[in-house]
Amino acid sequence: MRWLASWESFVRVVEEGSMAAAARRLDCTRAQVSKQVGELEQAFGVRLFERSTRKLVLTPSGEIFYRHALQALDAVDGAELAVRNVDEVPRGVLRVGASAVFGRQCVAPFVPRLLARYPELECELILSDEREDLAEARLDLALRMTRSPPEDAVSRLLLVLRRVICASPAYLAAHGRPQLPADLTAHQCFSHLLSDGGVWRLRDGQGDEIEVPIHSRLRFNDIGSTLDAVRAGQGIAILPTYLCGDALARGELETLLDVYEPQVDFGRNLYACYLPGRGRLPAVRAFLDEFQAWLSPEPPWERYGRGG
Amino acid sequence: MRWLASWESFVRVVEEGSMAAAARRLDCTRAQVSKQVGELEQAFGVRLFERSTRKLVLTPSGEIFYRHALQALDAVDGAELAVRNVDEVPRGVLRVGASAVFGRQCVAPFVPRLLARYPELECELILSDEREDLAEARLDLALRMTRSPPEDAVSRLLLVLRRVICASPAYLAAHGRPQLPADLTAHQCFSHLLSDGGVWRLRDGQGDEIEVPIHSRLRFNDIGSTLDAVRAGQGIAILPTYLCGDALARGELETLLDVYEPQVDFGRNLYACYLPGRGRLPAVRAFLDEFQAWLSPEPPWERYGRGG
DNA sequence: CGCATTTGTCAATGATTCGTTGACGTAATG
DNA sequence: CATTACGTCAACGAATCATTGACAAATGCG
């Protein structure tokens, strides 16, 4: 039995809804597909499809296998692509989208390294806080912080971002250091207009979430400005470490309430998103590989600024 | 051509260093392996091995394909395991080996969570600093910090461990805070009998490695004792964060020379090792999945103790 | 309800693929 | 220099695979 071909047949049956339709799509016979699926079931010792009705329904085992099979076939395809494209030098213009602050802070410093590595590559970095459509914006790749990456795109989790509560030493000296989340209510805490709606949600080490209503007389929709205000000693804020890591390292800022992990609506995940065909482009693959290498084992902004 | 079988042959050739050795290991003929690799090369249109010398050397394409092939084969194996074991509840006794300190500090606190999740599972945690043979010690799974996991076992990288240079605030107040690696020579630095031989190797942010001869009048082969001595203000040591993270969080210890990353002989990698058949056991898979989830996105001992 | 079409399965069979054998040339080793 | 090991190739038998045709059951349509 051609093992992987059987997996592909099985996956196709699930997608097409019947063996006959899958056979048509695969340009082979119903008998072949039926036999391949039957042999998979025999090999695994489980039923993949219910047989009590003509309407094909996956069994629980079938569902599990379907998901794993997709992943495995994707890995196989990726391997084939990688080896076939190894001699293709990334060239041309790569259009990368990112949010304004993250783009300026993290992607922009990275891109020169990429371009140094691939002399025939050019890059257009499109910074925007709007979730523009990848096709409409003609983006080859978008870096998104979100809980729900675009459904028409391939999304690859690159990194889990960290956020910390921080203030300047001067502010803390003048106003005292909050010891508990509730203490924050007595402090000037900057609100993110776009995300927290005046309530900070902090998760403690046990996974419990504490909500702290905060008030601030100064509110920003640009976290770069929030950073500036915090550094100026005007208050406390939740900031991503990619933004404030340097200031922390230099001692310009200090973190507080470290046991608590700030939660934000759009979550902690940084995704690389690209339209299905774009994954083949050497430039996209080079960007992803180099960017991930750059982020490993931890991002540059986390590599410094460590301490007790 | 049996596609995946060819991939497996190719991977085996890389691992064994020759087609003849791979054929022996695969219990087939040199001609089969040679043909399979040749057909891969034909299919991909690239050379995977250099042919100019009998000594097998991977081409750049071969290296890329090797890494992707491993991943793909692992995904395929994972799919097969997942579908075969879908109905199997982890039960029985799982014997896990780990080093003494890491086991007590990290694995022991984790195991109750695993057992709570799987009521029919029992666990024997075998702590030892000796690299006992998995078969002889009847271990289902061993957690190893090493550069060279056992060759007869499947080894899965779980985590990159961090080590920091630290001392108590009292020690630093009394003796001053080293600003450069060379300053360490004037300090009481605890040596690891088993690893550093009296020389600390520190890597700076540019990847350069600095060697610092240190001396200590007190030497340990047990890093738990080293921790105790450091906390008692007796000196400076390199300690893994899984051991000293709590003390750092409580302010009992402080890190220093944070820009430098300590290097140790056995490296930074934590592997889960198991004999080839054991990977199928539901208990082993449950342990690995739960342990990795527990470690994600970062281990508990790194989740605290953050700051500038 | 009856009929036509579609679907899924099975056995038989021819087509295709695969692994081995034996030979050969080359490299490495003692 | 002799021997052993290795990698490759062609030929061939063994093994596997896909199709065909038949059959029963389900579905859709008039």
Side-chain angles (χ1 to χ4, degrees):
Chain A
M1 173 177 34
R2 287 180 162 163
W3 200 223
L4 268 204
S6 297
W7 291 32
E8 287 167 353
S9 292
F10 166 78
V11 163
R12 184 64 75 173
V13 170
V14 175
E15 289 167 357
E16 299 292 330
S18 78
M19 295 189 189
R24 284 192 291 275
R25 181 65 67 132
L26 293 167
D27 199 25
C28 66
T29 65
R30 301 190 310 271
Q32 178 183 352
V33 174
S34 176
K35 183 185 286 185
Q36 284 173 318
V37 170
E39 285 170 350
L40 283 177
E41 288 177 327
Q42 193 164 34
F44 291 141
V46 299
R47 279 296 207 197
L48 298 174
F49 293 108
E50 301 290 354
R51 286 306 195 287
S52 58
T53 169
R54 181 63 58 81
K55 209 184 210 44
L56 272 181
V57 175
L58 280 167
T59 61
S61 300
E63 288 178 13
I64 287 176
F65 179 59
Y66 174 62
R67 283 193 266 104
H68 277 84
L70 279 180
Q71 203 167 27
L73 292 171
D74 193 56
V76 168
D77 286 342
E80 297 187 34
L81 273 175
V83 70
R84 282 195 175 103
N85 291 333
V86 67
D87 288 331
E88 288 199 47
V89 174
R91 57 167 57 87
V93 180
L94 178 70
R95 281 173 63 90
V96 179
S99 69
V101 174
F102 182 77
R104 191 164 59 240
Q105 202 72 23
C106 308
V107 186
F110 161 75
V111 169
R113 298 167 60 100
L114 182 71
L115 300 186
R117 184 76 175 266
Y118 302 107
E120 296 173 66
L121 186 62
E122 301 173 29
C123 184
E124 292 180 2
L125 188 52
I126 316 301
L127 304 185
S128 169
D129 288 327
E130 298 189 27
R131 311 277 201 87
E132 65 275 283
D133 184 75
L134 274 75
E136 288 180 14
R138 293 187 297 104
L139 295 176
D140 297 306
L141 179 66
L143 302 173
R144 292 285 168 79
M145 293 174 237
T146 179
R147 289 190 194 274
S148 49
E151 291 184 356
D152 60 340
V154 177
S155 301
R156 189 168 160 184
L157 178 64
L158 288 181
L159 184 66
V160 174
L161 298 164
R162 257 195 344 118
R163 289 180 180 80
V164 293
I165 306 166
C166 49
S168 68
Y171 178 88
L172 295 176
H175 299 85
R177 174 183 277 265
Q179 301 298 328
L180 292 173
D183 295 342
L184 291 169
T185 58
H187 283 267
Q188 181 74 262
C189 298
F190 295 115
S191 175
H192 289 184
L193 282 173
L194 302 176
S195 61
D196 60 28
V199 176
W200 284 5
R201 291 184 287 107
L202 310 178
R203 179 173 293 176
D204 66 17
Q206 280 70 46
D208 296 321
E209 194 169 287
I210 298 147
E211 289 193 351
V212 183
I214 48 89
H215 63 83
S216 52
R217 293 181 288 112
L218 190 52
R219 288 178 290 277
F220 300 97
N221 66 344
D222 166 34
I223 59 175
S225 304
T226 307
L227 171 69
D228 291 342
V230 173
R231 282 163 67 193
Q234 295 172 3
I236 299 172
I238 291 173
L239 291 172
T241 53
Y242 66 77
L243 181 60
C244 62
D246 283 352
L248 289 168
R250 290 194 297 271
E252 291 179 37
L253 295 183
E254 296 180 18
T255 60
L256 37 143
L257 296 169
D258 290 329
V259 178
Y260 299 91
E261 182 189 345
Q263 309 294 300
V264 296
D265 285 343
F266 47 87
R268 305 184 302 167
N269 294 337
L270 175 71
Y271 289 97
C273 309
Y274 48 90
L275 293 174
R278 298 295 168 81
R280 291 177 174 276
L281 294 174
V284 168
R285 286 186 40 248
F287 183 102
L288 290 176
D289 290 346
E290 297 292 326
F291 196 53
Q292 278 198 294
W294 192 58
L295 295 174
S296 301
E298 63 188 353
W301 56 84
E302 300 274 11
R303 210 162 291 166
Y304 302 96
R306 283 200 190 284
Chain B
M1 172 177 31
R2 285 179 164 163
W3 199 222
L4 269 202
S6 297
W7 290 34
E8 287 166 352
S9 292
F10 167 77
V11 162
R12 185 64 75 171
V13 171
V14 175
E15 289 167 354
E16 299 292 331
S18 78
M19 295 189 191
R24 282 193 291 277
R25 183 64 69 130
L26 293 165
D27 200 24
C28 66
T29 64
R30 302 191 308 271
Q32 179 183 353
V33 174
S34 176
K35 184 187 284 185
Q36 283 174 318
V37 171
E39 284 168 351
L40 283 176
E41 288 177 326
Q42 192 163 35
F44 292 140
V46 299
R47 279 294 205 194
L48 299 174
F49 292 108
E50 301 291 351
R51 288 306 196 286
S52 59
T53 170
R54 178 63 60 79
K55 209 184 209 51
L56 271 179
V57 175
L58 280 167
T59 62
S61 302
E63 287 178 12
I64 288 175
F65 179 59
Y66 174 63
R67 284 194 262 104
H68 279 83
L70 279 181
Q71 204 167 26
L73 291 171
D74 194 57
V76 167
D77 285 343
E80 297 186 34
L81 277 174
V83 69
R84 283 197 173 100
N85 291 330
V86 65
D87 289 332
E88 288 198 49
V89 172
R91 58 167 57 88
V93 180
L94 178 70
R95 280 173 62 92
V96 179
S99 68
V101 173
F102 182 78
R104 190 164 58 242
Q105 203 72 23
C106 308
V107 186
F110 161 76
V111 168
R113 295 168 62 98
L114 180 73
L115 299 187
R117 183 76 176 267
Y118 302 106
E120 295 174 68
L121 186 61
E122 300 174 27
C123 185
E124 292 180 2
L125 188 51
I126 317 299
L127 304 185
S128 169
D129 287 326
E130 297 189 26
R131 309 277 199 88
E132 64 276 285
D133 183 76
L134 275 74
E136 288 182 10
R138 295 188 297 103
L139 295 176
D140 297 306
L141 178 67
L143 301 173
R144 292 284 165 83
M145 292 172 241
T146 178
R147 288 188 195 277
S148 50
E151 292 184 356
D152 59 342
V154 178
S155 301
R156 188 167 160 183
L157 180 62
L158 288 181
L159 184 67
V160 174
L161 298 164
R162 247 188 358 109
R163 289 180 178 84
V164 292
I165 306 167
C166 50
S168 69
Y171 177 89
L172 295 175
H175 298 83
R177 175 184 275 263
Q179 301 297 327
L180 293 172
D183 295 341
L184 291 170
T185 58
H187 283 266
Q188 181 74 261
C189 297
F190 295 115
S191 175
H192 289 186
L193 281 173
L194 301 177
S195 61
D196 59 28
V199 176
W200 284 4
R201 290 181 290 109
L202 310 179
R203 179 172 292 179
D204 66 17
Q206 280 71 45
D208 295 321
E209 193 169 288
I210 298 147
E211 291 194 351
V212 184
I214 48 90
H215 62 82
S216 52
R217 290 180 290 114
L218 190 51
R219 288 178 290 275
F220 300 99
N221 68 343
D222 165 35
I223 59 174
S225 303
T226 307
L227 172 68
D228 291 343
V230 174
R231 282 163 67 193
Q234 293 173 4
I236 298 173
I238 290 173
L239 291 172
T241 53
Y242 66 77
L243 180 59
C244 61
D246 284 351
L248 288 167
R250 290 193 297 272
E252 292 180 37
L253 295 182
E254 295 179 20
T255 60
L256 38 143
L257 297 167
D258 289 330
V259 178
Y260 299 91
E261 182 190 346
Q263 309 293 302
V264 295
D265 284 344
F266 47 87
R268 305 187 300 166
N269 294 337
L270 175 71
Y271 289 97
C273 309
Y274 47 89
L275 293 174
R278 298 295 168 82
R280 293 177 174 281
L281 293 175
V284 169
R285 285 185 45 250
F287 183 102
L288 290 175
D289 290 346
E290 296 292 326
F291 196 54
Q292 278 198 294
W294 190 60
L295 294 174
S296 302
E298 62 187 353
W301 56 84
E302 300 275 11
R303 213 162 291 167
Y304 303 97
R306 282 196 191 284

